[in-house]
Amino acid sequence: MANQRELDYILPGRAESYWLATIPESNYPALQGDLRVDIAIIGGGIVGLTTAYLLKEAGFSSIAVIEAGHILRGVTGHTTAKVTSQHHLIYDRLISKFGKRQAQQYAESNQAAIEKIASIVASKKINCDFVRKPAYVYAESEDSTNRIQNEVQAARNLGIPAYFEENLPLPFKTYGAVRFNDQAQFHPAKYLSALAEEIHGDGCHIFEKTRALKIKGEEPMTITTDKGSITAHRVIQATHYPIHDKPGLFFQRLHQSRSYVLGVRIRDPFPDGMFINAEKPARSLRSQRTDNGELILVGGEGHRTGEEENEISRYQNLEKWVRANYSVDSIDYRWSTQDTISIDHIPYIGRQTSGNDNIFLATGFKKWGMTTGTVAAMIITDMIAGKLNPWEEVYDPSRFKPVESAKTFVSQAVEATKGLVGDRILPVHKEASDIPPGEGAIVKIEGERVAAYRDQNGTLYALDPSCRHMGCIVSWNNAEKTWDCPCHGSRYNAAGEVIHSPAVYGLPEKKVKK
Ligand code: FES
């Protein structure tokens, strides 16, 4: 439980992603009635929109993108938006665990994604603050220097322009860094809003406020939504966790991780580059040009969803760290996001292994979705167009890696199902009467476990705490004021309405005496 000092902490900045605060809200129509298209895409983030854009560019003319809320408001709108093939320290591990061929596919595909974004920005003249930057992973302790040097070698071995850097222009001691040249950063919401405009029209659609509820059939398939149904020959699940996972294949192969960002104004100019440390807790830094000068995005504090009882402390840790290292003028924004991570830390991209060749999925981007999301769009577009893609193998959703030990699989499976089993026997922390206004907790009322939230007027809302996806017990996120499911990332607002799939129905009210 949080101590009093932590509870008294006032969260800094406005609770909104800078990206979403600086674009107009989209206003695409909701689906009305039933529709037939060639290709339906569920999810209006970077994967869904880039795939729709590339398919349309490749000559497909009957596409529908369905988004439950507004496009870009999910994980994509809450990223730090580094456009890089430098996904922390990854290449040395990839070569040793998967071999050079597959490591090469990963490296090449992500380098190609940077160039794909650059070429779309240039050809469509998209004003999205796209700039080339070097990317660095730095060592905070001498113990990490070896890992950095090994990464430089591994990346160079795969053809990435990687270099060892002795000294960094950062205001704290570092012990060497790996630098990748010619990486980039951008404003993802401006970029993808422009793609959305290219997609909508001429037989292609974007439907907002249209929640996909289920997918049935084989060829064609029917997507039932809360507004009507869409029949399509190909379906792409571009949601952060597949809503259609009937055989439960991904249930034990993905886990959720939450991380936090502060948008900070500092007195001194920020150096040229994007930075992240090699150790934990993560400290990620990049700058962003804004109308009011430079904004520094400070990210990190990742943890498994549902394992933190006091999410507010994560913002507090980031604030302490940035104030200890920089002269801070103001903290203007704060936001958090929830990413999906696969067992072997490589995304699943391609045909879903459900015996139906016409369903595709892309998930498990492990916080690096700007490039891997674009890779997903490139691979799936090629698959649908019947072209051989050179990077399919490493991302194949049906892969089984003997190199990943059974022990790893079992421990991941335990983590993925923790909320289903373990949370059910965790003690309940509070009485309903202990919950202050604006807070929530899992409590027992009349012997029944209840997700209880007290609004600012003192009214108590009692919800069934079993997630509508597969029944895990949700936990209260005191920083975002949401109910988060630790198993596959469903999120609900304080009133129990779904804000993040794979759950498609809200938490029902629990009939108890309050
Ligand atoms: Fe799967 Fe909650 S049980 S997201």
Side-chain angles (χ1 to χ4, degrees), residues 48 157-158 167 281 387:
N157 204 354
L158 299 171
N167 297 304
K387 280 194 199 160

Side-chain angles (χ1 to χ4, degrees), residues 39-41 46-61 63 65 116 120 191 195 199 234-238 349-351 357-362 372-392 395:
I39 302 165
I41 300 173
I46 189 163
V47 176
L49 294 175
T50 312
T51 309
Y53 172 81
L54 294 180
L55 285 167
K56 190 169 181 181
E57 207 185 31
F60 293 90
S61 56
I63 303 167
V65 178
K116 174 60 80 179
I120 294 172
Y191 168 72
L195 293 203
I199 295 161
R234 307 277 169 74
V235 172
I236 301 161
Q237 297 199 76
I349 299 169
R351 289 192 169 83
D357 269 3
N358 297 307
I359 292 198
F360 300 81
L361 66 80
T372 44
T374 305
V375 169
M378 293 159 82
I379 290 177
I380 293 172
T381 299
D382 280 352
M383 285 178 153
I384 290 178
K387 280 194 199 160
L388 200 64
N389 182 289
W391 316 309
E392 280 177 27
Y395 299 105

Side-chain angles (χ1 to χ4, degrees), residues 424-454:
R424 289 182 184 280
I425 53 169
L426 280 178
V428 171
H429 295 304
K430 289 183 178 179
E431 296 291 325
S433 55
D434 293 340
I435 301 174
E439 284 301 333
I442 302 292
V443 296
K444 270 206 173 152
I445 302 177
E446 297 171 329
E448 297 251 26
R449 198 185 287 257
V450 168
Y453 167 72
R454 190 179 301 285

Side-chain angles (χ1 to χ4, degrees), residues 241 420 467-472 474 485-490 492 501-503:
Y241 182 98
L420 198 61
C467 175
R468 295 295 295 280
H469 177 230
M470 291 176 79
C472 290
V474 296
C485 180
C487 286
H488 317 108
S490 293
Y492 307 84
S501 63

Side-chain angles (χ1 to χ4, degrees), residues 232-311:
H233 297 285
R234 307 277 169 74
V235 172
I236 301 161
Q237 297 199 76
T239 49
H240 91 286
Y241 182 98
I243 64 156
H244 179 75
D245 185 23
K246 274 286 177 281
L249 283 169
F250 293 91
F251 166 45
Q252 295 180 336
R253 293 196 202 166
L254 290 163
H255 75 265
Q256 308 296 318
S257 175
R258 175 158 289 280
S259 49
Y260 302 80
V261 182
L262 294 178
V264 181
R265 309 268 178 201
I266 59 172
R267 225 150 289 163
D268 301 316
F270 190 77
D272 185 39
M274 307 177 289
F275 304 86
I276 191 166
N277 58 342
E279 298 84 0
K280 282 185 179 168
R283 294 290 178 258
S284 160
L285 292 161
R286 66 158 278 196
S287 61
Q288 169 65 26
R289 198 165 32 89
T290 76
D291 291 344
N292 308 319
E294 210 174 27
L295 188 71
I296 311 307
L297 306 185
V298 183
E301 288 290 314
H303 61 85
R304 282 185 186 256
T305 302
E307 279 194 356
E308 175 59 81
E309 283 191 14
N310 179 23
E311 286 80 0

